[in-house]
Amino acid sequence: MSATSTVLGAGSHLAASSATGEHRPLIISLFAAFVIATLAITVWAGRQTKSAADFYAGGRQFTGFQNGLAISGDYMSAASFLGIAGAIALFGYDGFLYSIGFLVAWLVALLLVAEPLRNSGRFTMGDVLAYRMRQRPVRTAAGTSTIVVSIFYLLAQMAGAGVLVSLLLGITSDAGKIGIVAMVGVLMILYVTVGGMKGTTWVQMVKAVLLIAGTLLITFLVLLKFGFNISELLGKAAEESGKGAAFLEPGLKYGATGTSKLDFLSLGIALVLGTAGLPHILIRFYTVPTAKAARKSVIWAIGIIGAFYLMTIALGFGAAALVGPDEIKASNKAGNTAAPLLALHLGGTDSAGGPILLAVISAVAFATILAVVAGLTLASSSSFAHDIYANVIRKGRATEQEEVRAARWATVFIGVVSIALGAMARDLNVAGLVALAFAVAASANLPTLLYSLFWKRFTTRGALWSIYGGLVSSVLLVLFSPVVSGKETSMFPSADFAWFPLENPGLVSIPLGFLLGWIGSLLSKEEPDKGKYAELEVKSLTGVAAH
């Protein structure tokens, strides 16, 4: 980006900040109204949370439609609303690949995981893995993996929150942005410790309705601006991008070199396979009373999520056409503010309409972040309490009250860790950060789940090799990748220890996770319990004696 364009972009950003300045009381009021409303829902749900089943699975009282709505709320994260819009606005066609990958991933979850998992476990992924293997080592591994994946995912939400609220409140200092991340962390801890799964589910349902309504409004206004002519919208976006026709063709981000093509392949594999291994999505299948309701909830989720990702075309290309890449990069170099800035421009930067629309859309985005971080924190704290504390440390002798208390303390600890890491990741693209979480989930959790459910020769050693091997390899490759160091957009731009060239480790770590599970099982001296496998097979496919 040239010096001139940087100055112009910065000037536009200052105009945006001053436009929001005079309407700041309204913006703060909208945010406060949402936070108070969701906290009220959480307190109401918390009063109905009396048992471990209530805390972990919402008492299994939600219908297929309600759970589908909550899954949508859990899945359509800051990466979807902020990160993808930014990626499309800056990279055109290549940015839209995130939308396609996130959506196609649901087919894997529906066809292979949703129903068998709901039939086989009680509260966590560890329940399924431990059914036919040695409990303590497998539950420890499953709990560790769940916490690591959740923290990676939480990074993206925290980064999105920092960017969003600092744009609205005109906060430019690093200390201010870190304060915002801390505030989100505190709210997240409150939601989970007070409301459990019931409170979290209701917040996610409210958020899904708000997000779809907000995205529909923006999509309608963008299309109205171009006379409902999508071709004209795409043409204007290509013209304003400064890239011309290349903006609408593959290769702007993932095609210039052999490495970037491999990066795209790695990203695609991680996105498509990652959903079926995400802990906060997996535990949602336990909140419905029957396997039929689990299937129905996934079908509803695919419909709602599909409609949303289709609308990201209007969000991303609309931002490119009406805001322009210079202003977006000046506001946030990773592009995370593209959707809120689009709302400002659609309403008019020199009128009250722009700041009001910006406030509404940003409040919706903030709702998105709060709902998703609550789901993630619940998944990781549940896994710690149920798998590690109750079954490993206490060897199955913990009472329900002790287990729930342990989950609440784990929530506080995970919240503190997420605040610290989120503060460091505040300048990274949130869609890219979520893709890393998908890669870790697909490397460690998915191979172990599929082998447990569908391979009778799978053993405890295979499970441990698969989880720890996939987990360690994916995390190490991320640490030594351009995401962490070596580039202007890295977490530590001034350092360079990125010997692994790809930004997403999925191409290496996912096949490694499957391979290690297979080799570990073949080399194991432990004889697989074929009777237990037969029981699990019947249970997972029919739902007989589930829970």
Side-chain angles (χ1 to χ4, degrees):
M1 192 163 61
S2 70
T4 309
S5 64
T6 304
V7 170
L8 287 171
S12 304
H13 179 50
L14 286 172
S17 294
S18 61
T20 59
E22 58 191 279
H23 297 278
R24 204 146 282 151
L26 170 69
I27 293 167
I28 294 169
S29 300
L30 273 169
F31 268 72
F34 177 78
V35 169
I36 290 165
T38 50
L39 282 174
I41 292 169
T42 304
V43 170
W44 166 77
R47 287 178 178 168
Q48 301 177 49
T49 300
K50 295 183 170 58
S51 67
D54 287 336
F55 187 85
Y56 293 135
R60 307 191 209 284
Q61 295 168 350
F62 293 100
T63 65
F65 170 69
Q66 285 175 327
N67 196 44
L69 202 55
I71 288 173
S72 308
D74 217 354
Y75 193 68
M76 295 184 300
S77 65
S80 304
F81 192 62
L82 302 176
I84 292 177
I88 296 173
L90 298 182
F91 301 108
Y93 179 96
D94 281 14
F96 185 58
L97 294 171
Y98 279 102
S99 292
I100 297 166
F102 282 139
L103 180 57
V104 171
W106 272 103
L107 295 176
V108 180
L110 175 64
L111 296 173
L112 295 177
V113 173
E115 190 178 341
L117 191 78
R118 160 92 215 2
N119 291 340
S120 310
R122 286 184 67 227
F123 301 134
T124 65
M125 179 182 75
D127 290 333
V128 180
L129 303 183
Y131 190 81
R132 49 185 280 242
M133 292 168 202
R134 295 202 310 278
Q135 290 257 340
R136 295 181 72 191
V138 169
R139 282 193 184 274
T140 303
T144 304
S145 174
T146 296
I147 291 166
V148 172
V149 172
S150 297
I151 286 174
F152 261 94
Y153 213 115
L154 278 165
L155 278 183
Q157 312 311 314
M158 296 299 199
V163 164
L164 185 71
V165 184
S166 60
L167 171 75
L168 283 175
L169 303 184
I171 293 169
T172 53
S173 69
D174 284 344
K177 290 176 183 176
I178 291 167
I180 292 161
V181 169
M183 179 190 73
V184 173
V186 170
L187 283 170
M188 154 184 104
I189 291 165
L190 275 174
Y191 285 151
V192 177
T193 52
V194 175
M197 178 57 92
K198 278 188 179 176
T200 300
T201 300
W202 281 107
V203 169
Q204 285 163 347
M205 286 160 61
V206 169
K207 167 257 161 142
V209 172
L210 286 173
L211 184 62
I212 289 293
T215 311
L216 264 172
L217 175 63
I218 292 292
T219 301
F220 175 76
L221 292 173
V222 167
L223 293 177
L224 184 66
K225 201 95 171 170
F226 292 93
F228 293 91
N229 186 331
I230 294 175
S231 179
E232 194 179 321
L233 163 64
L234 297 178
K236 179 70 171 170
E239 181 189 327
E240 292 295 323
S241 71
K243 310 288 184 188
F247 191 70
L248 305 177
E249 295 169 1
L252 201 58
K253 181 173 171 64
Y254 299 111
T257 63
T259 303
S260 65
K261 288 176 182 174
L262 282 176
D263 223 338
F264 167 62
L265 185 60
S266 193
L267 173 71
I269 293 170
L271 293 182
V272 170
L273 297 179
T275 297
L278 288 175
H280 69 299
I281 298 297
L282 297 178
I283 64 167
R284 290 236 55 90
F285 298 130
Y286 296 129
T287 63
V288 290
T290 63
K292 183 181 178 183
R295 278 197 306 276
K296 196 178 285 185
S297 62
V298 177
I299 292 166
W300 272 110
I302 288 174
I304 295 165
I305 291 164
F308 172 79
Y309 283 129
L310 209 55
M311 291 188 284
T312 58
I313 296 173
L315 290 177
F317 287 108
L322 300 172
V323 183
D326 293 338
E327 184 177 338
I328 293 168
K329 284 181 186 174
S331 172
N332 177 260
K333 59 188 175 188
N336 294 325
T337 53
L341 287 173
L342 173 62
L344 179 67
H345 280 256
L346 284 169
T349 53
D350 52 356
S351 69
I356 290 170
L357 191 57
L358 170 65
V360 170
I361 293 305
S362 298
V364 168
F366 193 63
T368 295
I369 290 163
L370 288 177
V372 174
V373 295
L376 285 161
T377 313
L378 184 67
S380 46
S381 61
S382 298
S383 189
F384 171 80
H386 184 63
D387 292 323
I388 297 175
Y389 175 76
N391 286 289
V392 176
I393 297 172
R394 295 296 304 277
K395 300 178 184 176
R397 293 193 294 268
T399 64
E400 281 197 353
Q401 288 79 6
E402 288 173 334
E403 206 173 309
V404 171
R405 196 181 309 124
R408 288 182 166 135
W409 278 112
T411 300
V412 175
F413 173 75
I414 289 159
V416 171
V417 172
S418 303
I419 290 166
L421 293 174
M424 288 193 289
R426 62 188 179 278
D427 289 327
L428 302 181
N429 182 283
V430 289
L433 281 171
V434 162
L436 296 181
F438 273 62
V440 179
S443 305
N445 295 349
L446 185 64
T448 322
L449 266 176
L450 293 182
Y451 281 146
S452 290
L453 290 168
F454 303 113
W455 187 29
K456 68 173 74 172
R457 290 198 59 194
F458 195 47
T459 65
T460 302
R461 178 183 285 183
L464 298 179
W465 282 27
S466 185
I467 290 179
Y468 288 128
L471 194 64
V472 171
S473 63
S474 56
V475 172
L476 273 179
L477 291 176
V478 168
L479 287 176
F480 293 104
S481 76
V483 171
V484 175
S485 71
K487 285 171 66 177
E488 188 190 337
T489 53
S490 301
M491 192 181 285
F492 300 109
S494 54
D496 188 0
F497 43 86
W499 53 260
F500 182 66
L502 306 182
E503 292 192 3
N504 192 291
L507 190 62
V508 176
S509 59
I510 296 171
L512 189 63
F514 278 98
L515 182 64
L516 287 170
W518 178 67
I519 293 172
S521 295
L522 292 185
L523 296 180
S524 174
K525 293 175 183 174
E526 175 189 350
E527 195 62 38
D529 189 333
K530 290 178 181 171
K532 275 283 190 185
Y533 174 75
E535 279 177 36
L536 181 66
E537 190 174 34
V538 170
K539 193 175 174 182
S540 68
L541 295 176
T542 65
V544 171
H547 312 305

